[in-house]
Amino acid sequence: MKLNIDGLLVYFPYEYIYPEQYSYMLELKRTLDAKVAAVTDNIYNVCIDSMSVNITRRTLDRCQSNVETLQTTIKNIKETDAAKLQEEYRRLVEGLKEANVARETDAYMGNPVLPDEILKEAVPGSIRTAEHFVRFLKRFLEYLKSRLRVHHVVQESSPQFLKDIFDKVCIDRKPLRFCAERLRSLLRTLEIADITDFSPVTLIANFATLVGTYSQGFTIIIEPFEDRTPNILNPVLHFSCMDPSIAIKPVFERFQSVVITSGTLSPLDIYPKILDFRPVTMASFTMTLSRNCLCPLIVGRGNDQVALSSKFETREDFAVIRNYGNLLLEMSAVVPDGIVAFFTSYMYMENIVASWYEQGILESIQRNKLIFIETPDSAETSMALEKYQEACENGRGAILLSVARGKVSEGIDFVHHFGRAVIMFGVPYVYTQSRILKARLEYLRDQFQIRENDFLTFDAMRHAAQCVGRVIRGKTDYGLMIFADKRYARADKRGKLPRWIQEHLSDGSLNLTVDETVQLSKHFLRQMAQPFRQEDQLGLSLLTLEQLESEEMLKKITQMAHQA
């Protein structure tokens, strides 16, 4: 299908198009005309994670092994082909010109780990030769090992870390800044076949470059214990990025127009603040449907009128756990094929499942469907997913118990019969006692004037929307979205859900009991069971080229785009 959108020719690979797709193209054309563009999206965590580093004793031990391998390889090459190392030294004397040329010619995009100013400087003499650089890495490693010998929590800024490392082992800031690119050059010179084997030393080199480059927007926290095992000494150094705009900045600088888009954004106005940019336009599009194929319901009470919530004060309440179990049991009896249930954390899921087992609820559920559980182990989770899909395929039906922020919530689509209902048990707030989170909230408050509660609610509702969105993967799909917590009925929570979910939340869908939820679910599933053909969508949620070119339809779509 060939479309002309205000002079922009678009070749669409299908015979039909959704009205909101055309609206999106209109908005995109207007955005591109503005020369610089940003339509906000859910990229906060990606930016933060890409610039953060966690270092444990195991990381340092593996890094030590990498350094010893490098030392042995350098010794062998020096005996057989010394000219190769001399040529590398010559290149490093001239500076990182190759990396600069590659960046300017779009060979690769600007890496925030490697700032532009470094590319114009010569590599410090103390790390130019391969032997000197390896000795430098060894000294840096020994310092990091000494920092992990702690029995209390230490928090400091990058300048404080640099002062300490200079006072104790005489490592200056400048060679640290060149570590990442110096290691990259060395691995290239040594012709290392599989660089993934050197990921620990690469991680340490990236950390050195980051801590030597950025004096603001980061914090260093050294903890003697992990949150999951508070009684077992297992120190970890967190180099945590507080400012996501550092990671996205090279993208904005490189490209004239940037469009970032997703279906689970809400609210839009928070992203320009935390990513530090001025959007030319922001738009939120609805979904045009020829039938109401999604049914969001908020369950606030059990049949005994006990309020349902995953709040810390009530999460151990026997009545709440029992009512959550009854909800899953009742839904397993009326929903065909697959049900995906999300909990706020692995620990909360374990506690609830153990209690359900003691109460005999799990046994009752298994009479209706098989139960599979996501675990922190990726191999176990992959096996559970495979068997879950197999049970849905053969008609037995299954329930997958998962965790918000886990693998299932972020990367798995439950198309058609693999997910006819999603139940979100509780509001998935992040662990608020985390020192990293506390530091991040303090930074957001001081730098962007974002209140702690506003950010926590925004983050929780974004993840809740991401979880329930797994059930709808197209206009021919359908599913139930059940929010099992009374707090979702409040305007401050409900208002932060994406627009396409809010539009289907009526007053009759709020603060329901388990029985009311079951009755509404039955009614919805009966409607969805009726025959549905492609012809039923034409002119409403699916358009042919002829329909698209009609003046009435173009006017309708343009109006839809202006309302976004």
Side-chain angles (χ1 to χ4, degrees), residues 161-415:
F161 180 89
L162 292 171
K163 182 180 184 303
D164 188 72
I165 194 173
F166 182 77
D167 292 343
K168 290 180 178 174
V169 291
C170 297
I171 291 180
D172 197 12
R173 178 182 181 181
K174 189 170 183 179
L176 285 173
R177 299 176 75 197
F178 284 85
C179 263
E181 192 59 28
R182 180 64 188 89
L183 177 64
R184 184 173 174 172
S185 171
L186 180 61
L187 292 175
R188 207 164 44 233
T189 300
L190 299 180
E191 296 179 354
I192 301 295
D194 189 1
I195 61 171
T196 56
D197 294 340
F198 290 85
S199 56
V201 72
T202 303
L203 181 74
I204 297 301
N206 286 343
F207 165 65
T209 297
L210 284 167
V211 76
T213 301
Y214 298 103
S215 58
Q216 292 183 329
F218 291 84
T219 190
I220 296 171
I221 299 175
I222 306 174
E223 296 179 310
F225 308 99
E226 287 188 353
D227 293 331
R228 291 178 296 177
T229 54
N231 299 318
I232 301 174
L233 189 65
N234 186 21
V236 56
L237 184 151
H238 303 283
F239 182 72
S240 185
C241 178
M242 304 286 108
D243 188 354
S245 66
I246 295 172
I248 198 69
K249 185 179 178 183
V251 179
F252 291 144
E253 289 179 345
R254 168 58 59 88
F255 299 103
Q256 177 176 280
S257 299
V258 180
V259 179
I260 314 169
T261 181
S262 175
T264 54
L265 312 183
S266 194
L268 287 175
D269 56 2
I270 197 169
Y271 289 98
K273 293 180 183 177
I274 60 180
L275 295 179
D276 192 25
F277 71 97
R278 184 183 60 82
V280 171
T281 182
M282 295 192 296
S284 176
F285 298 96
T286 185
M287 278 203 299
T288 55
L289 300 170
S290 54
R291 62 172 183 171
N292 290 325
C293 60
L294 63 149
C295 179
L297 303 171
I298 296 176
V299 188
R301 298 165 291 146
N303 293 331
D304 55 4
Q305 301 304 311
V306 171
L308 298 182
S309 178
S310 64
K311 284 198 301 185
F312 185 77
E313 298 81 12
T314 61
R315 61 173 47 191
E316 301 293 335
D317 191 317
F318 182 83
V320 172
I321 295 174
R322 186 188 66 245
N323 280 313
Y324 272 155
N326 287 338
L327 172 63
L328 186 59
L329 174 60
E330 293 289 343
M331 295 308 296
S332 70
V334 300
V335 176
D337 300 316
I339 298 176
V340 186
F342 288 98
F343 295 84
T344 56
S345 68
Y346 284 107
M347 186 177 294
Y348 186 51
M349 179 174 70
E350 288 170 9
N351 292 340
I352 284 202
V353 170
S355 182
W356 286 350
Y357 176 78
E358 292 172 1
Q359 297 175 47
I361 293 175
L362 281 186
E363 185 180 351
S364 300
I365 292 173
Q366 285 184 308
R367 295 193 189 104
N368 299 326
K369 296 183 186 296
L370 299 179
I371 297 176
F372 300 92
I373 301 178
E374 176 189 3
T375 69
D377 185 275
S378 58
E380 290 180 356
T381 299
S382 297
M383 177 65 74
L385 271 168
E386 182 183 335
K387 296 302 179 185
Y388 168 82
Q389 291 174 343
E390 189 178 316
C392 293
E393 287 281 14
N394 64 28
R396 176 67 173 84
I399 296 173
L400 182 62
L401 305 181
S402 310
V403 173
R405 304 171 200 276
K407 176 184 176 182
V408 172
S409 70
E410 296 183 356
I412 308 297
D413 293 339
F414 296 93
V415 182

